[in-house]
Amino acid sequence: MGKNSKIQEIIKMLGRMRLEALSVKRSRITHSAPIRRGVETVGIEGIERVLPDELANLAIGKEGEDFFLKRLLEEDLLAYSYKNPVEETQGPILIAVDGSGSMAGPKEIWAKALAIATILQAKKEKRKSQGIIFGASEKEIFDIDADRLEDLATAAFHMGTNFEPPLRWAQDQFKENPRADFLFVTDGICNLGDERKTAFIQAKSSAGARCFGILISSDVTDTVNQFSDKVFSLNTAPNPRDAGQILSEI
């Protein structure tokens, strides 16, 4: 994993996202924080609890990033150990990431890091989670597994974008998982039939779910707006701060 440059970029972006998400959430805290129970060493599954001093290495350039990545791969990052009993009052977190060819580059790295960040956040909050990479057809669906970053790094499709398969996937998830937060990430423009759109909206409403549209480098938000409760319209090269704002919403 340490030799795969794309995985390294995803992990570095993931670390920056978690740092930003923590910063945003801390600024919104109105209740007491969980009780700290000491410090332990962790790898990628504990990255959301990593000490600020460890995350600060990401801000000091390549040397600091390499040092952070090395400690992450060796599961040697210092992190808080919490006693934080949480009742499951929220539904699962779902995410669908556009894997079409136009996403290649920084958008792909950012979107895949966001997918892992949402899964890790769900695990921390004792919520279910599931994610997919989607392409242009029903056959172009890849299940995201946070424990198989090698597969995630290479998951991509070369055709266009089709919104119907991921919305149908999410609609099926709503049936078994009420109150879900669904993140829909794309840079594409796609026509969506009224029947599919209506079916998705009705299923979302019945399940008490929320849909967050995340539109990268596109000013055309009409279609995504029609089925989303909130839309984040991001720049061509979205940054960790964008992700921190999004993660703080779910």
Side-chain angles (χ1 to χ4, degrees):
M1 184 168 70
K3 295 181 180 179
N4 187 309
S5 60
K6 186 176 288 187
I7 293 177
Q8 291 182 16
E9 290 301 313
I10 291 172
I11 291 174
K12 289 176 183 177
M13 179 61 74
L14 173 62
R16 297 188 189 105
M17 286 179 175
R18 292 303 306 154
L19 180 60
E20 292 291 348
L22 285 171
S23 176
V24 173
K25 287 187 175 182
R26 282 171 181 162
S27 69
R28 296 179 177 178
I29 288 176
T30 56
H31 302 289
S32 59
I35 301 172
R36 290 178 182 173
R37 302 289 293 180
V39 174
E40 62 182 338
T41 55
V42 299
I44 191 168
E45 287 196 357
I47 197 171
E48 75 281 354
R49 296 183 283 111
V50 168
L51 298 183
D53 287 348
E54 295 277 25
L55 291 168
N57 287 314
L58 292 168
I60 62 175
K62 187 177 186 305
E63 183 178 348
E65 290 179 347
D66 290 344
F67 180 67
F68 178 88
L69 180 61
K70 179 177 182 296
R71 289 170 64 82
L72 179 68
L73 295 176
E74 293 174 352
E75 298 186 346
D76 197 34
L77 288 172
L78 294 175
Y80 293 120
S81 177
Y82 288 125
K83 179 183 179 181
N84 184 27
V86 177
E87 294 183 5
E88 187 176 345
T89 58
Q90 295 175 290
I93 302 178
L94 310 173
I95 184 167
V97 175
D98 188 343
S100 60
S102 62
M103 286 284 288
K107 291 183 288 186
E108 176 189 4
I109 297 298
W110 185 90
K112 290 179 176 179
L114 179 66
I116 297 299
T118 60
I119 291 171
L120 293 176
Q121 178 164 315
K123 185 173 183 178
K124 176 186 176 184
E125 297 173 352
K126 303 186 185 304
R127 301 166 68 182
K128 296 178 182 178
S129 65
Q130 196 166 350
I132 58 168
I133 308 290
F134 67 90
S137 71
E138 298 285 355
K139 295 181 179 180
E140 293 183 335
I141 294 285
F142 175 86
D143 290 326
I144 296 172
D145 185 341
D147 295 323
R148 296 188 61 83
L149 289 182
E150 304 93 334
D151 294 342
L152 176 63
T154 57
F157 305 106
H158 302 291
M159 301 299 288
T161 303
N162 186 346
F163 289 173
E164 291 202 11
L167 293 186
R168 187 176 294 110
W169 170 82
Q171 183 178 334
D172 291 340
Q173 294 296 319
F174 294 157
K175 294 176 182 177
E176 301 179 1
N177 300 288
R179 306 186 312 281
D181 286 331
F182 174 46
L183 279 64
F184 183 82
V185 187
T186 183
D187 71 340
I189 300 171
C190 175
N191 292 324
L192 187 64
D194 288 340
E195 184 177 348
R196 168 51 46 204
K197 178 178 61 180
T198 300
F200 173 80
I201 293 173
Q202 289 177 345
K204 176 168 65 73
S205 178
S206 297
R210 298 185 298 173
C211 177
F212 297 90
I214 303 169
L215 196 61
I216 305 174
S217 70
S218 177
D219 294 328
V220 183
T221 62
D222 289 350
T223 302
V224 177
N225 265 320
Q226 289 171 9
F227 61 79
S228 299
D229 296 282
K230 183 172 183 176
V231 174
F232 296 88
S233 187
L234 309 181
N235 295 326
T236 302
N239 57 59
R241 183 67 179 174
D242 293 327
Q245 294 287 349
I246 294 166
L247 292 171
S248 72
E249 293 274 350
I250 61 177

